[in-house]
Amino acid sequence: MGKALIFNRMLAIGVGLIGGSICLAAKKKGLVSHVLGYSRKLETAHEALKLGIVDECIAGPGDANLRNVDAVVLSIPVRQYKQVLTQFLPVLPPNCLIFDAGSTKSDVAVMLNELEPQFPGLKSRFVLAHPIAGGESHGPSAAVANLFEGRNCVLCPLEQTSVVGLKKVEAFWTGIGAKLSTMNAMDHDEMFGAVSHLPHLLAFSYVASVLAHPKGADFMKEGGAGYRDFTRIAASSPEMWADIFQNNSAALLNMLGAFEANIASLRQAIESDDRPALERILGQAADYRSQWKQN
Amino acid sequence: MGKALIFNRMLAIGVGLIGGSICLAAKKKGLVSHVLGYSRKLETAHEALKLGIVDECIAGPGDANLRNVDAVVLSIPVRQYKQVLTQFLPVLPPNCLIFDAGSTKSDVAVMLNELEPQFPGLKSRFVLAHPIAGGESHGPSAAVANLFEGRNCVLCPLEQTSVVGLKKVEAFWTGIGAKLSTMNAMDHDEMFGAVSHLPHLLAFSYVASVLAHPKGADFMKEGGAGYRDFTRIAASSPEMWADIFQNNSAALLNMLGAFEANIASLRQAIESDDRPALERILGQAADYRSQWKQN
């Protein structure tokens, strides 16, 4: 066991792009000695095993090998957390640390509040995390060990989160190359509603609206580099993003309202040939965006 | 003179990213013997001269060197065409070929109709073109000889366009590496309203609407790869895009209406927790976009 070791036996629930990449990175960096993998679909867990992402597959909560697990990482749609935790928590060691990689955080805090009476202490040993990484590819075959290198990971500790648990999860994410930031779950959801969820909603909606045009599919074949980049995120998983839109609906719809108001101003400026208004709105955006640099 | 030569003396009106790249490419490929450059701002023409983009600067329509020009390429905002042509046409040789590189085409056709009585034959010697290339950088210093290599260039000949002139302009664009397609001006504007102008409008509007949020600029600092690509085109020239939005307002606002209706459906699906509707709209977009390949 190397000195980098953080967890002995880590259970990965979800072994797709995110979960699989977490496992590959943790193994490569020597942060874990043994990785167990679970997926709703057994063939996905088997694929992860074949790809060397996990060392062992778990068929379900009945598996005896779960007894010595000291960490669990959830990389599944947030809507599935509650059901999965309800199944697995009764058989996991009571001091086992749990962390996640979901894109929304307030809803996870609410879910933990709901489960806390049934599983006392759950909130102290659950660390909310959101690595800012991903892509349009899905499944274990898309996983890579360097997915989190140099990428941000936002931690949203609750008041009850154990300091020791938080330090371990911080060391874990840092160990696989992520840069950490910390904020509360509400701020997180407002920020990512604005800079991630809304752009995804707009990109999906733009492609769907052009597709609905009789010649829309033919039009899009002629799209250039602008079209390509603007719509790249519209190839993302519909199931995952439907979850995110539903789970962060308050912050998302609030930002969407501001966008709709801005679009109405632009429409008005174009319809009334109001060149100063048009240049003012476009100029603000261009000034900001041309100076923006990725963190 | 090489056998590739198409024009002896070409006047470039506008020597920025597009005009400058056309000149560099044409010189590199030996399609022109001598390039004259004109810009509204004299220092821009001088910069182009220093960068080897043009061989000679023209201060204005009074310049005697204009007499032997056999081709003019317009790479300026479409809204300036009429004024510039009205100034230059009286001093240009009557058989001199003219072509452009603007992003909208129906408005150019209308402008040519308006000028035709004053300059008979203008419509026969003006070839409407739109190279699908560009970027967020502006000015002569952004110009590169390979900007059009492998990129599409749409030609929109009018009924009156001379066959000989059209063939020369086709040979010119092909000679600098572009792939040609031909369609009428209305179809062009509808297509590019959908796949280029609308995405630009949405990207500008999205950035402007987030900026208007009290914490919006801070939020955007945390944007990841999705944010980066989705907003890249919002760094484009506000002046150029205000022109395009105004010049192609009919097709653009029509497509915007379809987008607004789709956004309303998505909002409705999120507000009413209508998961099937949400997945249907996102799924259509993701299915199409994940199979899309750039032409």
Side-chain angles (χ1 to χ4, degrees), chain B residues 13 36 39 62 84 94 108 123 137 205 242 244 248 250 274 280-281:
Chain B
I13 296 183
L36 300 93
S39 171
V84 164
V108 178
K123 288 170 78 174
S137 319
S205 186
I244 292 173
N248 195 26
D274 183 349
R280 184 175 44 76
I281 298 172

Side-chain angles (χ1 to χ4, degrees), chain A residues 6-294:
Chain A
I6 298 172
F7 303 124
N8 279 307
R9 291 169 64 79
M10 180 173 85
L11 169 63
I13 296 183
V15 290
L17 169 64
I18 300 293
S21 297
I22 291 172
C23 295
L24 284 176
K27 291 175 70 164
K28 188 177 169 189
K29 301 289 185 179
L31 309 184
V32 291
S33 354
H34 192 79
V35 177
L36 301 92
Y38 170 77
S39 171
R40 256 191 316 179
K41 295 182 189 155
L42 195 59
E43 64 263 39
T44 305
H46 287 163
E47 190 186 349
L49 184 66
K50 263 186 242 164
L51 291 166
I53 289 170
V54 302
D55 302 306
E56 188 181 343
C57 291
I58 292 294
D63 203 303
N65 286 326
L66 287 173
R67 272 175 299 193
N68 296 317
V69 160
D70 58 348
V72 176
V73 53
L74 291 174
S75 312
I76 55 176
V78 175
R79 295 223 147 192
Q80 297 171 18
Y81 284 16
K82 193 171 183 180
Q83 194 200 348
V84 164
L85 287 174
T86 306
Q87 291 178 322
F88 278 87
L89 281 171
V91 297
L92 287 167
N95 58 346
C96 155
L97 199 59
I98 306 167
F99 61 104
D100 79 319
S103 302
T104 50
K105 297 273 78 88
S106 302
D107 54 336
V108 178
V110 168
M111 183 270 313
L112 291 172
N113 276 336
E114 290 166 3
L115 286 185
E116 179 73 21
Q118 194 182 343
F119 304 102
L122 176 60
K123 285 169 78 173
S124 78
R125 60 197 179 97
F126 194 110
V127 181
L128 290 81
H130 174 204
I132 315 304
E136 308 81 60
S137 319
H138 322 305
S141 62
V144 287
N146 68 351
L147 188 66
F148 308 103
E149 287 287 353
R151 308 303 293 269
N152 287 332
C153 179
V154 182
L155 298 175
C156 300
L158 306 172
E159 268 183 54
Q160 300 87 344
T161 306
S162 122
V163 174
V164 173
L166 179 61
K167 294 279 171 216
K168 279 194 180 182
V169 174
E170 285 176 349
F172 184 88
W173 283 108
T174 305
I176 62 175
K179 296 180 290 184
L180 300 182
S181 60
T182 299
M183 62 183 80
N184 73 49
M186 291 277 283
D187 287 346
H188 169 280
D189 286 3
E190 196 182 19
M191 174 181 284
F192 288 94
V195 303
S196 171
H197 310 168
L198 181 56
H200 277 81
L201 186 78
L202 300 181
F204 280 120
S205 185
Y206 163 74
V207 172
S209 70
V210 179
L211 265 185
H213 187 286
K215 292 184 274 182
D218 289 335
F219 288 169
M220 287 192 282
K221 281 183 198 153
E222 300 301 319
Y227 170 87
R228 179 195 65 210
D229 290 354
F230 181 80
T231 59
R232 183 178 60 78
I233 51 179
S236 305
S237 157
E239 191 191 1
M240 175 178 150
W241 283 95
D243 272 2
I244 292 173
F245 297 157
Q246 291 189 289
N247 295 359
N248 195 26
S249 60
L252 172 63
L253 294 180
N254 186 38
M255 280 308 308
L256 178 60
F259 171 79
E260 289 168 321
N262 192 280
I263 279 287
S265 306
L266 276 172
R267 175 186 272 285
Q268 168 66 19
I270 294 169
E271 281 170 348
S272 62
D273 249 328
D274 184 350
R275 178 80 184 203
L278 198 49
E279 284 202 19
R280 184 175 45 75
I281 299 172
L282 306 188
Q284 283 168 353
D287 282 352
Y288 177 82
R289 183 55 181 78
S290 51
Q291 280 163 47
W292 180 85
K293 281 197 182 68
Q294 196 164 5

